[in-house]
Amino acid sequence: MQSNSETLITIFGGSGFLGRHVVRALCKRHYRIRVAVRRPDLTNYLQPLGRVGQVHAVQANLRYADSIAAAVRGSHIVINLVGILYQRGKQSFSAVQAYGAEAVAQAAAREGARLIHVSAIGADAESPSLYARSKAQGEAAALAARPDAVVFRPSVVFGPEDDFFNKFAAMATISPVLPLIGGGETLFQPVFCGDVAEAIARAADGAAKAGTTYELGGPEIFSFRELMEIMLTTIDRRRLLMPLPYGIAKLQAGLLQYLPKPLLTPDQVELLKIDNVVSRAATREHRTLEGLGIAPHTVQSEIPHYLWRFRKFGQFSRQEA
């Protein structure tokens, strides 16, 4: 039987927020890790996550099939974590999350490598959201190329470098008002980055059922309003939570989408119209974190460890977190 130290795993998107936690989880299991990224020179921070020589980076771009094939060569397992929250130039939802995912899956199939594909709850071929449609197309392409692929659909992923709690906490430090799009009633089931990484690592170990789509959510479901209230309590700030109808939000997003890092896009407004929670079917069929033997962390237990820096006047020390 092949040992983990002889198993090469190529990770596309391994330098991102979730990627670094996946690399850490796999390194602890002694796998050899190849991180396929557009800028290998910017991934030095991944090296200390493993032993000397355990992690190395190679150049790859999901828009170029030859670079994908080169990155996958010799791999036993391929993990695709690549996803974008907004489109910029050639980095479109279709190019990255649909055609890019297809190219990775086909390269894995040609190499005979197992495939783990990370999508998102809400992926839907009929969705009005381009993001959700491209995610669904990526899933379909992954399973068409490798019918035994394991697909993970996480809800909103939170953790130290997240783009959710950190973004709204930063807004709360400068704005007296936080908008509640659609009234803040959309439901979420936030999932801790470490739990998602552990699920992916267990799939690499062979603990996940082949050809299965898992939905990953935390132990609790919250409305968007409730999440903003938890965040404000954590950073000890009082802010007005103002309901904002979808129509007005979409008009504002039409302008905000042109910021260097958009605060909101019209496509994200469409996503906020649909609850982002684990389905009853996935729960019933044990296609969840719990089904993989993972007890998910709560929002309240984790966000104080990294939102402390947004508190007023440094009242909350890092040690207290």
Side-chain angles (χ1 to χ4, degrees), residues 32-54:
R32 289 191 295 131
I33 310 298
R34 178 188 290 160
V35 182
V37 292
R38 287 189 294 167
R39 292 287 304 275
D41 55 308
L42 300 180
T43 64
N44 290 336
Y45 59 89
L46 295 175
Q47 305 301 323
L49 299 180
R51 304 184 309 278
V52 174
Q54 187 178 7

Side-chain angles (χ1 to χ4, degrees), residues 307-318:
L307 293 188
W308 57 268
R309 63 188 182 276
F310 296 107
R311 286 178 67 97
K312 293 183 293 186
F313 312 119
Q315 293 174 1
F316 195 45
S317 72
R318 196 168 189 169

Side-chain angles (χ1 to χ4, degrees), residues 164-182:
F164 186 79
F165 286 114
N166 280 302
K167 178 170 73 173
F168 289 108
M171 288 175 60
T173 65
I174 59 176
S175 174
V177 178
L178 294 179
L180 296 177
I181 298 170

